[in-house]
Amino acid sequence: MGLHYNNILVAVDGSTESEWAFKKAIAIAKRNDASITLVHVIDTRSFATVESYDRTIGERAETYAEEIMANYKKEAEVAGVVNVQTLIEYGSPKVIIPKEGVKKANADLIICGATGLNAVERFLIGSVSEHITRSADCDVLVVRTEKKD
């Protein structure tokens, strides 16, 4: 079997940490001749607080997701990753990424950033990366540092 990955799922949310995760994913994909699937989850729970669900929030979130995905995809292809897919999902990132994300990407490795939540938020909702680590059936790489090549 060997230490070889074929399909890497990278969770991106526009944060600095997910940027680092994305850069590491490119390096690992190239070493393994692996494909990359970028996943961005639009957290619909954050809209629930808006009394009458304001459509423009959802539309803005979608536009933003499509823009960052297009940029990441182009960057990965320019860097030499042959097969780059994108997934935009809706719901709770920590639930969707390790289950549906993995299934759709047929992933054998998830790469995500260590989410930059403050202590209070982490206590209340648990960090996304922690949750992915616990519930994924494949390997998970949580990126905490910028790539020093």
Side-chain angles (χ1 to χ4, degrees), residues 88-147:
I88 297 174
E89 298 287 334
Y90 297 84
S92 163
K94 60 184 191 180
V95 174
I96 287 173
I97 293 164
K99 296 291 173 223
E100 275 143 80
V102 166
K103 215 177 280 151
K104 288 186 178 169
N106 192 15
D108 47 15
L109 176 65
I110 302 172
I111 301 182
C112 58
T115 42
L117 292 176
N118 66 40
V120 176
E121 286 176 300
R122 196 168 286 135
F123 175 71
L124 292 174
I125 56 178
S127 86
V128 173
S129 53
E130 244 172 86
H131 202 274
I132 291 172
T133 309
R134 278 203 302 271
S135 46
D137 294 324
C138 62
D139 289 357
V140 180
L141 171 62
V142 179
V143 177
R144 298 180 179 282
T145 54
E146 201 164 355
K147 185 168 119 256

Side-chain angles (χ1 to χ4, degrees), residues 54-120:
D54 180 356
R55 282 205 57 79
T56 59
I57 297 176
E59 280 159 19
R60 273 207 306 273
E62 261 168 57
T63 306
Y64 173 73
E66 279 159 18
E67 275 171 22
I68 66 168
M69 293 308 243
N71 290 340
Y72 279 133
K73 184 175 162 72
K74 196 159 72 211
E75 202 182 316
E77 288 169 345
V78 167
V81 180
V82 181
N83 188 347
V84 187
Q85 308 295 328
T86 58
L87 275 181
I88 297 174
E89 298 287 334
Y90 297 84
S92 163
K94 60 184 191 180
V95 174
I96 287 173
I97 293 164
K99 296 291 173 223
E100 275 143 80
V102 166
K103 215 177 280 151
K104 288 186 178 169
N106 192 15
D108 47 15
L109 176 65
I110 302 172
I111 301 182
C112 58
T115 42
L117 292 176
N118 66 40
V120 176

